[in-house]
Amino acid sequence: MGILPAMQYRHFPRIEDEEISALGMGCMRLPIIGNNPADIDGPAAERMLLAAVEAGVNYFDTAYVYHGGKSESFLGDFLAKRGLRDRVKIATKCPTWHVKEEGDWDRFLDEQLTRLKTDYIDFYLFHALSAERWEKVLKLGGLRHFEKAMAEGRIRHIGFSFHDSLDAFKKIIDGYSGWEICQIQYNYMDTEYQAGTEGIEYAAAHEIGVVVMEPLRGGALVNAPRAVREVFAEYPKPRLPVEWALRFVLERQETVTVLSGMGSDNQLWENAGIVEAARANSMTKKEMDLIDRARSIYREKQGVPCTACGYCTPCPFGVEIPEVFSRYNSASMFGSRETVRYWYKLNTADKNAGGNACKKCGACLSKCPQKIAIPDKLAEGHAYLMAD
């Protein structure tokens, strides 16, 4: 690789003795074979994980449900085979929505420890907390069980990932004094969405470290339309759209690490190089003004605020919801409807997996972190893509 990037390290406010790489390795979008998320491309994924370690990444984020339940096991096998467990911090998440009774907290943790082939988890998070799920945590004693696991040495730090309103975020923060980290969606398009900038500042005021997910908004901010690229081209130093997006989230000193959903070792090296130079509080007013203009362009064009997290899947009727929305957004934001229509028809609509296959059963609605009116948007997206 030649000269390796010098990884930047930051600290969680309450865990000052541990250095955390400013670039985290998200294990939700590992390379796969075909279209099945559970069919991880082993050799390609291992190359990417090895590249992450070589680049100095030490924060590896996974969850019980990622890659059809295969992500944790793949990461555990990789770390055990390579003897790398002591060089990385593992963050994983309890599937809060699957918890039905108090015994489930320990049952899931035991299963996850087995999958990860480890005696302890560095950062254990309640997954995708919302106001409703927070009430479940309180009702079923989730905090008590997490604290017990900490006392036993099975987990080392407690946190939560979040998808709901700012008010719900503040309620969760205020509801427990032991939080050490929170994981939120944040990027230059989502400064006032869910927790947003105000949520980041609220967490910091409570000395809770922030992990940023979706800094590239499911890849949408990488494949920037011409109008956005032209705005960024006004800056005297050439930068790809991915660099603008990552610099924006790392500009905030509250951001400890960023999970960018990398899907290859090439993307890993690209992002590592960007993070090396993206220091907090370093962007000029000119740079922020350019980002503001780019944001305005996107907001005028985007069809649906989907980040392709996949929580809405599987659809009982086989609709490939994230794929439909991805095609819809690609066409609306990037002005490429004719090209997108061809691939949408060939790979999705003609296979009875497009927006027209939605039966409006509503099974997806409660699962969507973005609170999208999915059936309505599926119909809208299909009509847009198939229009002459």
Side-chain angles (χ1 to χ4, degrees), residues 176-377:
Y176 180 57
S177 63
W179 297 125
E180 294 171 284
I181 71 172
C182 63
Q183 182 171 317
I184 67 169
Q185 177 177 323
Y186 193 67
N187 53 68
Y188 70 73
M189 289 293 296
D190 292 328
T191 57
E192 299 176 0
Y193 182 68
Q194 294 189 4
T197 301
E198 187 174 342
I200 285 180
E201 294 171 350
Y202 198 79
H206 289 74
E207 297 187 316
I208 300 170
V210 175
V211 176
V212 170
M213 57 182 162
E214 303 293 355
L216 308 179
R217 217 168 196 269
L221 302 184
V222 176
N223 301 311
R226 178 183 295 275
V228 170
R229 297 198 307 270
E230 288 176 348
V231 167
F232 288 149
E234 294 179 21
Y235 190 68
K237 181 180 179 180
R239 286 179 183 166
L240 293 172
V242 62
E243 182 169 359
W244 284 98
L246 290 178
R247 278 180 174 269
F248 176 83
V249 295
L250 288 164
E251 167 71 6
R252 301 205 63 93
Q253 63 187 28
E254 302 95 336
T255 301
V256 177
T257 189
V258 174
L259 308 171
S260 69
M262 298 165 288
S264 70
D265 49 338
N266 287 336
Q267 291 178 358
L268 183 284
W269 286 115
E270 177 185 57
N271 288 1
I274 293 168
V275 170
E276 175 188 2
R279 304 291 164 171
N281 304 313
S282 65
M283 296 186 75
T284 65
K285 183 179 185 301
K286 170 67 174 177
E287 290 172 294
M288 297 304 288
D289 286 345
L290 291 176
I291 285 177
D292 286 344
R293 289 169 56 193
R295 182 188 298 117
S296 296
I297 292 170
Y298 272 114
R299 285 180 174 170
E300 292 172 358
K301 294 178 175 292
Q302 190 174 38
V304 55
C306 174
T307 65
C309 68
Y311 291 156
C312 58
T313 61
C315 166
F317 299 97
V319 179
E320 295 181 2
I321 301 170
E323 176 66 13
V324 176
F325 288 162
S326 176
R327 299 289 187 185
Y328 181 25
N329 281 337
S330 293
S332 60
M333 288 192 295
F334 309 143
S336 55
R337 180 159 58 179
E338 290 187 9
T339 300
V340 172
R341 179 195 298 122
Y342 171 80
W343 292 108
Y344 170 70
K345 187 175 186 300
L346 178 68
N347 296 326
T348 311
D350 285 355
K351 295 180 179 180
N352 202 34
N356 59 326
C358 174
K359 305 300 182 185
K360 299 186 182 298
C361 70
C364 54
L365 290 172
S366 63
K367 300 177 183 178
C368 178
Q370 322 306 333
K371 306 302 180 186
I372 297 168
I374 293 176
D376 293 341
K377 284 295 183 180

Side-chain angles (χ1 to χ4, degrees), residues 1-19:
M1 289 299 304
I3 299 176
L4 299 179
M7 178 54 62
Q8 176 188 169
Y9 295 92
R10 298 185 177 187
H11 299 268
F12 290 109
R14 297 185 181 181
I15 318 172
E16 294 184 359
D17 59 337
E18 293 189 15
E19 289 190 329

Side-chain angles (χ1 to χ4, degrees), residues 133-147:
R133 289 173 184 165
W134 174 234
E135 292 302 319
K136 175 190 286 190
V137 169
L138 296 176
K139 179 180 179 181
L140 296 181
L143 293 169
R144 183 174 67 253
H145 283 273
F146 274 36
E147 288 177 338

